[in-house]
Structures are given as structure tokens and as C-alpha cells.
Amino acid sequence: MHKPGTHAMVLAAGYGQRMRPLTLTRPKPLVEVAGKALIDYGFDRLRAAGVEEAVVNVHYLPEQIEAWAKRQISPRIVIADERVEILDTGGGVARALPLLGADPFFVINSDSFWVDDGTPALDRLRAAWDDQIMDCLLLLSPLQRTVGYDGKGDFVRGADGRLTRRTKSDGTPLAYIGGYLVAPRIFKGAPDGAFSMNLLWDRAIAAGRLFGVEHTGRWLHVGTPEAIGLAEAALGA
């Protein structure tokens, strides 16, 4: 196996309905926080991690994402076209597997972003990866280090780094913050068409092969127009 994370999948196909009216005329990844598009924050993290090629899926107002992609110098961008059918968080990645190579690759959301503190999060995911015992390694945050997030968390992390669902475990809840490193094998036996990545994460939990790393910085969850101001305040903009 080569170094994991030379390739990445960037999820950019959603409608951004909670971000209306801003998303009536542009896709959510191009909504700006502190004068910068949400997707650009994610691509800054990919560039810093030395990612060589990124697959970006498109569905809603795809021409705008494609025009943005043509302006980028690095990493190389390949468009995964989901104009006909939006494939959700799992189906979109599964469809793009032939473009992502045989080694573990990053997946990041394009409509929220994190601020690193110390070693960058993607470098920490790469350093923590153990191909013998992991199928997927999620980036997680304690609730107190999130901005604009009103959820109760998604997972509980055991002492060995293995994850269980918050609703089925005692322990400190952690929020999934839109980034992970994953081996292509997790998609073996996945459904055709649209499906949520949660399906495969639950399978990995059952097999003891879903792990997590706790983020040391903050996560800015920009889900609504009101959350933009919170994110900009957190950035000191």
C-alpha cells in the first residue's frame, strides 16, 4: 500500500435547503464565510495534506461548481456528475470509486469546515491509520469545540479508538465533523444507487473496524444563514 490519502472525495452535490435564501442562486459549497467560499476552506486542508487528486461530485447548480473547479491549480480535480440522480453521502463515493484509486482516501464535506490547532487534522488521520484493523477512521469533535452545531453528537470513542453509536453507549458524545479516511473495501457489498454512509459505518461498527480521532481545534458547522455570523466571529473576521 502507498501512503494513504493521496486522493480525496469532496462531497458538493447537496441542495443546501437550510441555507436558503442564499442557496436559491448558488450551491451551498460556494456560500462565503469571511469572504471565502466554504469549499475553499476544505481545499486548503487538502492542499496542506499533499492530496494530489480530488473528486468533486455535483448535482445542484453544477455549472457553478465546475466553473470554480476550473480555477483551481491544485490538487487536480475530477468532476463526478450526479446531475441525473443525487446519490447521498455513501452512494456518491461508491460511484466515484474507480476515480479514487486502490489505497485509503480522504472524504470531506464541502459545506462545513474545521480550524486546525497543532498538527493538521488530515495529517493526524493519516498518522493514525492502521490498515490491518481499520476500514474507516472518522474525524470527531467534542461538542464544546463546535460552533453553530446544536446536535447531541454521533459517536462514543472507546479507549482503543473504536467507535460506537452515541445512543447505544455511555461515554462522552462526539460529533462527526465532515472528514474521514477510508479504505475502498468498506464499499464491498454496498447497495446500488443512493444510500447514506451511515449504513456502512454501522456495518464497520459491528465488525469492530470503525475508528475515530478527536479533533484538537474547532469545527464550524455552517448550516444556516445565521450560522455564518457565528463562524465569522469564531474566525475573528
Side-chain angles (χ1 to χ4, degrees), residues 5 7-13 29 38-49 51 53-57 68 75 89 93 100 105-114 121-123 125 137-139 176-182 197 201 219:
H7 288 62
M9 176 85 188
V10 180
L11 302 175
L38 286 167
I39 196 171
D40 281 318
Y41 286 97
F43 264 76
D44 284 348
R45 310 296 180 260
L46 297 181
R47 278 188 283 270
V51 171
E53 186 163 290
V55 178
V56 180
N57 65 346
W68 170 88
T89 54
V93 183
L100 290 161
F105 55 88
F106 291 119
V107 179
I108 66 169
N109 292 351
S110 63
D111 60 358
S112 67
F113 63 98
W114 63 81
L122 296 184
D123 290 339
L125 286 175
L137 180 63
L138 305 185
L139 187 61
Y176 164 63
I177 65 171
Y180 60 91
L181 188 57
V182 63
M197 199 64 198
W201 290 343
W219 176 49

Side-chain angles (χ1 to χ4, degrees), residues 1 129-135 162 185 208-209 211:
M1 187 182 75
W129 182 259
D130 184 338
D131 201 65
Q132 296 300 310
I133 63 173
M134 298 176 181
D135 285 340
R162 283 185 170 87
R185 60 178 169 267
R209 297 184 64 85
F211 286 74

Side-chain angles (χ1 to χ4, degrees), residues 41-147:
Y41 286 97
F43 264 76
D44 284 348
R45 310 296 180 260
L46 297 181
R47 278 188 283 270
V51 171
E52 298 169 7
E53 186 163 290
V55 178
V56 180
N57 65 346
V58 298
H59 175 78
Y60 176 62
L61 300 177
E63 296 83 3
Q64 293 186 36
I65 298 285
E66 289 171 333
W68 170 88
K70 289 177 181 177
R71 297 193 295 269
Q72 308 310 306
I73 297 173
S74 68
R76 296 186 302 274
I77 296 177
V78 178
I79 296 294
D81 194 329
E82 295 180 21
R83 280 174 172 83
V84 174
E85 178 191 16
I86 194 166
L87 293 170
D88 206 346
T89 54
V93 183
R95 175 78 63 85
L97 282 178
L99 305 172
L100 290 161
D103 296 317
F105 55 88
F106 291 119
V107 179
I108 66 169
N109 292 351
S110 63
D111 60 358
S112 67
F113 63 98
W114 63 81
V115 178
D116 285 316
D117 181 14
T119 303
L122 296 184
D123 290 339
R124 294 181 64 231
L125 286 175
R126 191 181 270 143
W129 182 259
D130 184 338
D131 201 65
Q132 296 300 310
I133 63 173
M134 298 176 181
D135 285 340
C136 193
L137 180 63
L138 305 185
L139 187 61
L140 308 167
S141 176
L143 304 190
Q144 67 269 23
R145 290 208 291 271
T146 67
V147 175

Side-chain angles (χ1 to χ4, degrees), residues 145-190:
R145 290 208 291 271
T146 67
V147 175
Y149 174 72
D150 58 5
K152 297 180 179 179
D154 305 292
F155 298 98
V156 171
R157 184 176 182 271
D160 60 358
R162 283 185 170 87
L163 300 184
T164 51
R165 288 288 181 181
R166 173 190 60 82
T167 52
K168 297 181 179 179
S169 307
D170 294 326
T172 303
L174 298 168
Y176 164 63
I177 65 171
Y180 60 91
L181 188 57
V182 63
R185 60 178 169 267
I186 200 174
F187 294 92
K188 185 176 181 180

